[in-house]
Amino acid sequence: MSNLTQPKDNITIVLSRNILEISFGPVSVAPLLIFIYINGFVLFTLRCKPVFRETPRYVLLYNLIFSDTFQLAVGQLLYILAYVQVYMIRYLCVIIVMLAMLTTNISPFNLAVMSLERYVAVCFPLRHSAIVTVKNTGVSIAVVWAICGISTIIRIFILILLESMPLDQYMLDFCAKETLFKQKLFYDFDKAFTGVTFTSVGIVILCSYFGVMIAAKSASSDKASTTKAKKTVVLHMIQLLLILSSTLISPILTAFSDKVDRPTLERIYYILFLCLVNLPRCLSGLIYGLRDQTIRPCLLYHLRFGLRHPKLGRTSTVPSNKH
């Protein structure tokens, strides 16, 4: 009898949502769509001129913002599907979640490579152009994607070998990592990989920072370039800490799971997802785009849809091809 009344109970829960619950989804999604729009223009800006495509640090920046934007878009898709209560076939959920996890792991390693690039630029300025080439940058990006790809493949094998539920069945809950993976081995591997990733990347960024600090004390160093490099490396560390905050979601949900009802737990999950997962990736394109003096004019030009600035001419907002 309880099984027969369960659909009616679900319909009653959906129909009894108040105005705040109904408006929560659109209000929370709208700002993130704006940031996806901004990140898209930053990506377009980084591909629109040879000076960006042929400079290693801009190639690294493109890879960072691309992975962040892709993860942000996939996360928004999962969020919208969960909000409107659309349940999907497990193998489709596996594909979407794995793509999200792949691009999530890209950002920390990419930040490490960007910090090393700044370290070489400051500490070995005469050899920088020979060490940090577009080809070598492409190889480092390929290595980053390969490491993250291997970790994703391992997670897929854990799911296939240890999960009893067939992949061609519909899920009984919304699509998310927490609802898809139930095996303890998966979370043990996830914790180990996350710990190794953030520890190694943190060490690389800290070493880069101290290397730049030592170079700053040298009388022959370019003080302006060194100061800018220090600020850039510090920015990488801050962004790494923001990305690391996403690992707090599971412990927080576990702490609240026995104390609140299901609808409240879902709202807590959405808020944590927005603040700890999406927010750091929203800020990367805006911060790096506006901070870089070469990207900023072109970005502002496109964000204004090519309109003339009141104090500047139309063409003065677009940078030339000169590096």
Side-chain angles (χ1 to χ4, degrees):
M1 185 66 179
S2 59
N3 292 335
L4 294 177
T5 59
Q6 184 66 28
K8 295 182 179 179
D9 294 338
N10 291 338
I11 294 174
T12 303
I13 292 174
V14 174
L15 294 178
S16 62
R17 288 179 176 179
N18 55 37
I19 297 177
L20 179 61
E21 290 176 324
I22 294 175
S23 61
F24 178 78
V27 170
S28 59
V29 168
L32 296 178
L33 294 179
I34 294 175
F35 279 108
I36 292 177
Y37 172 81
I38 293 174
N39 283 6
F41 267 113
V42 175
L43 292 174
F44 173 77
T45 301
L46 290 172
R47 301 301 297 174
C48 68
K49 290 184 176 294
V51 65
F52 298 133
R53 298 192 299 268
E54 298 171 3
T55 305
R57 67 188 181 96
Y58 290 129
V59 175
L60 290 171
L61 180 59
Y62 181 90
N63 186 59
L64 174 68
I65 298 179
F66 173 80
S67 61
D68 284 349
T69 305
F70 188 88
Q71 196 277 337
L72 191 61
V74 173
Q76 281 300 105
L77 174 62
L78 293 177
Y79 175 79
I80 293 173
L81 292 176
Y83 180 78
V84 299
Q85 298 185 351
V86 173
Y87 303 128
M88 62 180 66
I89 299 178
R90 284 178 61 83
Y91 70 79
L92 181 58
C93 179
V94 169
I95 295 174
I96 297 177
V97 170
M98 287 302 173
L99 287 175
M101 296 182 68
L102 171 64
T103 51
T104 298
N105 295 327
I106 293 293
S107 297
F109 288 109
N110 200 92
L111 289 172
V113 178
M114 293 173 71
S115 297
L116 287 175
E117 187 275 331
R118 288 294 85 197
Y119 168 78
V120 174
V122 173
C123 299
F124 306 98
L126 298 180
R127 300 177 57 189
H128 177 261
S129 59
I131 297 175
V132 185
T133 62
V134 175
K135 181 179 179 180
N136 291 340
T137 302
V139 172
S140 64
I141 291 175
V143 171
V144 167
W145 280 85
I147 294 174
C148 298
I150 292 173
S151 70
T152 302
I153 293 174
I154 293 175
R155 291 182 172 96
I156 294 176
F157 275 114
I158 293 175
L159 177 66
I160 295 176
L161 296 178
L162 300 182
E163 180 60 54
S164 58
M165 185 175 179
L167 295 178
D168 58 351
Q169 290 186 1
Y170 277 91
M171 297 187 63
L172 303 177
D173 210 335
F174 59 85
C175 180
K177 182 181 74 172
E178 290 75 15
T179 59
L180 184 63
F181 295 97
K182 304 294 184 181
Q183 306 87 358
K184 182 178 182 297
L185 179 60
F186 171 84
Y187 288 99
D188 290 340
F189 174 80
D190 195 50
K191 290 178 182 178
F193 183 79
T194 301
V196 172
T197 297
F198 284 96
T199 300
S200 58
V201 171
I203 292 174
V204 170
I205 295 179
L206 285 176
C207 291
S208 300
Y209 178 78
F210 288 121
V212 173
M213 287 284 292
I214 294 173
K217 297 179 180 180
S218 175
S220 60
S221 64
D222 185 348
K223 301 299 180 182
S225 176
T226 302
T227 301
K228 185 176 180 180
K230 286 194 296 183
K231 293 180 179 179
T232 301
V233 175
V234 170
L235 179 61
H236 295 339
M237 178 59 72
I238 294 174
Q239 190 167 4
L240 178 66
L241 294 175
L242 290 174
I243 296 175
L244 181 60
S245 65
S246 63
T247 60
L248 299 175
I249 291 182
S250 294
I252 294 176
L253 290 177
T254 302
F256 280 99
S257 60
D258 298 331
K259 300 178 181 179
V260 298
D261 57 11
R262 176 60 183 266
T264 303
L265 186 64
E266 289 180 357
R267 287 195 291 270
I268 293 175
Y269 176 80
Y270 295 153
I271 293 173
L272 293 175
F273 181 77
L274 295 173
C275 296
L276 300 184
V277 177
N278 284 346
L279 182 59
R281 302 176 190 283
C282 288
L283 298 177
S284 60
L286 185 63
I287 292 176
Y288 285 103
L290 295 179
R291 186 173 181 270
D292 191 283
Q293 296 302 317
T294 307
I295 302 177
R296 181 177 180 177
C298 191
L299 174 62
L300 292 177
Y301 173 82
H302 290 295
L303 289 178
R304 297 190 190 107
F305 302 100
L307 298 178
R308 185 189 303 269
H309 191 276
K311 296 182 179 181
L312 297 172
R314 173 180 294 270
T315 59
S316 61
T317 57
V318 182
S320 63
N321 290 337
K322 296 181 180 181
H323 179 52

